[in-house]
Amino acid sequence: MGSNVISFHYTLTDQTGKTLDSSAGGEPLTFLEGSGQIIRGLEAELLGMKAGEKKHVTLKARDAYGEHDASNVMEVPLDKMPARAIKVGDRFRAGKDAHAPVVTATKVTDTHVTLDGNHPLASMDLTFDVEITEVRAATADELAHGHAHGPGGHHH
Ligand code: ZN
């Protein structure tokens, strides 16, 4: 576990230049070094940067959300699903546990639904334009909890 809390603004684009996500106009994202709060490939690029610094980071899929894994795709009979209409693109947890993986319905037939447990950004090379807004020492509470607190971090 690192000892710094880093806040940054980011704009995420795919290889065609399409914006997928951005913190612009909102709170920056805040994370505790080494806590796994952001993808590792991006964190590695941010370590050592100072407030006000900007960086253009391109990550291969394997350093971002990983390659698409066919073993995370399953076909489930509709009668085994909770009774409701399911459409392609629907996302839900694959179990009652709050930590159950989130799956996406990628195909629906009269009898079955195909559920994909891969991250929606799996197998995509991604570009992040980042600007560091703050670097500060983590508090004892943050180190004990293993995550950042305050704006952009955990609230509790
Ligand atoms: Zn906490």
Side-chain angles (χ1 to χ4, degrees), residues 145 147 149 154 156:
H145 291 187
H147 54 229
H149 291 161
H154 261 253
H156 62 141

Side-chain angles (χ1 to χ4, degrees), residues 9-155:
H9 275 296
Y10 67 94
T11 296
L12 167 62
T13 50
D14 66 13
Q15 289 315 96
T16 69
K18 183 179 153 211
T19 298
L20 302 173
D21 194 12
S22 176
S23 65
E27 283 181 349
L29 194 61
T30 297
F31 72 99
L32 173 64
E33 282 177 14
S35 64
Q37 284 180 270
I38 67 168
I39 53 176
R40 250 196 314 210
L42 180 59
E43 174 164 349
E45 296 286 338
L46 301 183
L47 297 185
M49 290 179 70
K50 297 179 180 63
E53 289 187 326
K54 295 181 182 183
K55 200 168 192 178
H56 181 79
V57 178
T58 299
L59 296 179
K60 289 286 177 199
R62 65 173 179 276
D63 296 318
Y65 290 97
E67 301 292 348
H68 189 271
D69 180 353
S71 70
N72 286 337
V73 180
M74 60 201 151
E75 234 184 32
V76 179
L78 281 175
D79 59 17
K80 295 273 190 282
M81 298 294 295
R84 65 185 180 94
I86 295 169
K87 307 183 300 299
V88 169
D90 283 353
R91 306 190 71 209
F92 34 87
R93 290 201 184 279
K96 292 197 172 75
D97 183 340
H99 296 286
V102 173
V103 299
T104 306
T106 55
K107 186 179 165 191
V108 183
T109 69
D110 287 344
T111 56
H112 287 74
V113 56
T114 302
L115 299 177
D116 189 338
N118 289 284
H119 192 281
L121 300 179
S123 79
M124 291 174 67
D125 294 346
L126 300 174
T127 297
F128 292 86
D129 279 292
V130 298
E131 178 175 4
I132 303 289
T133 58
E134 187 185 15
V135 179
R136 63 172 170 82
T139 65
D141 270 357
E142 287 172 326
L143 291 173
H145 291 187
H147 54 229
H149 291 161
H154 261 253
H155 299 273

